[in-house]
Amino acid sequence: MTTTLPRHARLPLNRCNLPAVILGGLTYQLHPAPLELDGVRNFHQDLFSLLAPVGSHRERAALFVDYMAVHFCLDDLEEAGLSPGRVRKSRRNANYLRMVRGWSFDSDGREGAVLKHWVESRFGLLARHHAGPLDGRDSEAYYQYLAAGSHGLYATNALEAQLDLLYTYCQYELTRQHPEETHLTLYRGSNRIDEHEVLARDADGSCQVLLNNLNSFTSDRERADEFGDYILTAEVPLPKICFYNGLLPGMLKGEDELVVIGGVYRVHIDTF
């Protein structure tokens, strides 16, 4: 039996080529297809034309960082339309790199709320946990989560569009580095197994769980041991990897951290 994404965990509309009910279900984990955000690859085709002949991952990463800085005026925010003196410095410097690094330090903080909100709007997968369970879209916890995300987006420079391009570049790199693979075996350590909703238990001992809409995993099982008494092992489709440590130099503090879009997954759960 394969589990579909529950109605309460999804939105009816999103901004990619597959609806949430498909990309968030167990069938997608077993048989993934590419995910594309509406119009992003075509709009930035000049970037991917520049990257195509470059054989070095490091050189491609440098080209990407330079393109982001120029396209979004990250080093000249007045050129992007922000008035000098009217926006706090912390807001003026709120860009894709700060969001990613903020996630790495505290996925339940403001930057984590921005990223989870971005996943909601782009993929249609509702956040299930942020500094505690989110019990329905009418709950106080959900309102606080929305407020944190809104504060994180306020007075930023096309921040969600920056995240769109970061995800698209990540997918480009993954297909170049893993041309014959559809999944990576990843691990997640947790002390709060209740944040992962168990929807079904299979005869082989695995579980079908509803993950939060954005989650940190690692490619190193021993590393996962450091983060909790429960270890989740999952075959993660490449299109559900949002970004990872090696994508850009010094991007995340965890040496083997990968940030994964959620939904229903079949996982093995080990306890220690």
Side-chain angles (χ1 to χ4, degrees), residues 251-263:
M251 190 169 188
L252 295 169
K253 66 177 182 179
E255 293 182 1
D256 301 291
E257 185 176 358
L258 301 93
V259 179
V260 170
I261 297 166

Side-chain angles (χ1 to χ4, degrees), residues 179-248:
E180 304 299 326
E181 298 180 66
T182 60
H183 297 75
L184 295 180
T185 303
L186 301 179
Y187 310 93
R188 175 174 171 80
S190 178
N191 280 318
R192 301 178 303 184
I193 198 62
D194 58 333
E195 74 182 67
H196 308 303
E197 301 165 59
V198 178
L199 304 179
R201 298 183 184 275
D202 297 328
D204 64 356
S206 62
C207 297
Q208 298 178 32
V209 301
L210 176 59
L211 295 181
N212 202 6
N213 71 344
L214 201 62
N215 313 266
S216 286
F217 277 78
T218 177
S219 58
D220 183 345
R221 194 186 184 300
E222 292 186 1
R223 178 79 174 163
D225 288 346
E226 301 173 10
F227 291 92
D229 297 326
Y230 298 90
I231 306 299
L232 280 67
T233 303
E235 296 297 318
V236 175
L238 294 184
K240 283 202 166 182
I241 297 174
C242 195
F243 48 85
Y244 58 96
N245 175 262
L247 184 62
L248 300 173

Side-chain angles (χ1 to χ4, degrees), residues 102-103 106-117 120 126-135 139-150 192 195 212-214:
W103 167 275
D106 180 11
S107 62
D108 285 332
R110 179 178 293 180
E111 291 85 358
V114 169
L115 288 165
K116 291 169 188 174
H117 174 78
E120 289 189 348
L126 291 171
R128 306 295 300 153
H129 193 282
H130 186 79
L134 300 179
D135 299 321
S139 68
E140 180 63 27
Y142 194 80
Y143 289 144
Q144 292 178 2
Y145 152 70
L146 288 181
S150 297
R192 301 178 303 184
E195 74 182 67
N212 202 6
N213 71 344
L214 201 62

Side-chain angles (χ1 to χ4, degrees), residues 76-143:
D76 186 6
L77 295 181
E78 283 73 29
E79 181 69 20
L82 292 182
S83 300
R86 296 188 62 185
V87 179
R88 289 182 303 173
K89 183 177 180 181
S90 61
R91 294 288 81 210
R92 292 163 59 85
N93 293 331
N95 58 35
Y96 71 106
L97 288 172
R98 173 164 289 193
M99 294 302 108
V100 170
R101 290 166 181 161
W103 167 275
S104 186
F105 284 109
D106 180 11
S107 62
D108 285 332
R110 179 178 293 180
E111 291 85 358
V114 169
L115 288 165
K116 291 169 188 174
H117 174 78
W118 173 79
V119 171
E120 289 189 348
S121 67
R122 271 43 179 181
F123 300 98
L125 303 179
L126 291 171
R128 306 295 300 153
H129 193 282
H130 186 79
L134 300 179
D135 299 321
R137 300 185 71 194
D138 294 328
S139 68
E140 180 63 27
Y142 194 80
Y143 289 144

Side-chain angles (χ1 to χ4, degrees), residues 60-80:
R60 293 195 298 271
L63 278 173
F64 174 77
V65 171
D66 288 346
Y67 181 92
M68 292 288 280
V70 172
H71 183 82
F72 292 103
C73 302
L74 298 183
D75 299 323
D76 186 6
L77 295 181
E78 283 73 29
E79 181 69 20

